[in-house]
Amino acid sequence: MFKDRTGKALSLGEIYAKSINRLINVFLELEIFLLHLVGCVPSHSFRRFFYKIAGIKIGKGSVVHTKVRFYDPRNIVVGEDAIIGEGSILDGRAKLIIGNHVDIASEVMIYNSQHNIESPNFEAEDEPVVIEDYVFIGPRAIILPGVKLCKGSIIAAGAVVTKDVPPYAVVGGVPAKIIGERKNKNLHYKLGRARLFR
């Protein structure tokens, strides 16, 4: 007799469904590993080609720098003229939408799945993350599930964002709090060319 991790006996149909789900997860893990290897190749067009095959939607002029990690790439949408910095983590287990002219610095972690600490089985909860146009996220910031970063907002380096950030707000700290406001609200800039070997 087969049982699940909670000790509940499984029917033949449940065993079959769990086996198929496990097989799908093995292939997803392999895909994620291969994308990690692709991410080490110092060619933007090479990486972009394989990221698109994996299901990531990347807008015109956007750049994903080296060593970016993905968790389920099929739910990730990157707008136009956006830059994703080196060593960042983009979680696609739920929808991740990154707008136009968004600048994400190095080693930023964006998660949209986390464990429910109150659940008896500690299962994961997925919530989308939305990053609107002209947002800047500083190095090593962490964006947690269900957060919306509104247009023009600034996330300071090392901040941990646990709730929505209003338009043009500057937030910092752990957890992130409003520490200022962006004075220029008429944003029309383009981020420019990517560094060649990043």
Side-chain angles (χ1 to χ4, degrees), residues 21-50:
N21 189 47
R22 183 70 184 137
L23 192 59
I24 290 168
N25 283 328
V26 167
F27 281 112
L28 177 60
E29 289 298 318
L30 177 60
E31 178 185 22
I32 290 168
F33 174 70
L34 293 174
L35 285 179
H36 171 66
L37 295 179
V38 164
C40 295
V41 176
S43 166
H44 292 291
S45 54
F46 178 87
R47 292 193 305 270
R48 185 184 181 97
F49 174 77
F50 284 101

Side-chain angles (χ1 to χ4, degrees), residues 37-106:
L37 295 179
V38 164
C40 295
V41 176
S43 166
H44 292 291
S45 54
F46 178 87
R47 292 193 305 270
R48 185 184 181 97
F49 174 77
F50 284 101
Y51 292 160
K52 284 188 167 189
I53 286 175
I56 302 169
K57 292 172 183 61
I58 303 175
K60 182 180 177 186
S62 289
V63 175
V64 179
H65 286 299
T66 54
K67 298 184 181 176
V68 171
R69 288 265 190 178
F70 303 97
Y71 301 146
D72 201 342
R74 294 166 292 187
N75 291 317
I76 299 171
V77 177
V78 179
E80 296 183 1
D81 185 45
I83 295 177
I84 313 297
E86 299 154 294
S88 293
I89 294 174
L90 302 182
D91 190 347
R93 290 174 285 186
K95 203 75 170 163
L96 171 56
I97 299 171
I98 298 170
N100 301 321
H101 316 291
V102 171
D103 190 353
I104 297 175
S106 300

Side-chain angles (χ1 to χ4, degrees), residues 74-141:
R74 294 166 292 187
N75 291 317
I76 299 171
V77 177
V78 179
E80 296 183 1
D81 185 45
I83 295 177
I84 313 297
E86 299 154 294
S88 293
I89 294 174
L90 302 182
D91 190 347
R93 290 174 285 186
K95 203 75 170 163
L96 171 56
I97 299 171
I98 298 170
N100 301 321
H101 316 291
V102 171
D103 190 353
I104 297 175
S106 300
E107 299 182 9
V108 169
M109 293 180 270
I110 303 172
Y111 292 104
N112 52 31
S113 184
Q114 64 186 355
H115 289 285
N116 178 352
I117 61 171
E118 302 304 332
S119 162
N121 297 322
F122 198 55
E123 70 257 356
E125 294 179 325
D126 300 339
E127 293 182 75
V129 170
V130 176
I131 301 170
E132 293 186 347
D133 299 349
Y134 294 104
V135 169
F136 170 70
I137 304 175
R140 295 194 172 178

Side-chain angles (χ1 to χ4, degrees), residues 142-149 159-165 173-176:
I142 301 172
I143 313 302
L144 293 179
V147 166
K148 180 178 185 180
L149 307 180
V160 177
V161 183
T162 60
K163 57 186 177 183
D164 292 356
V165 177
V174 180

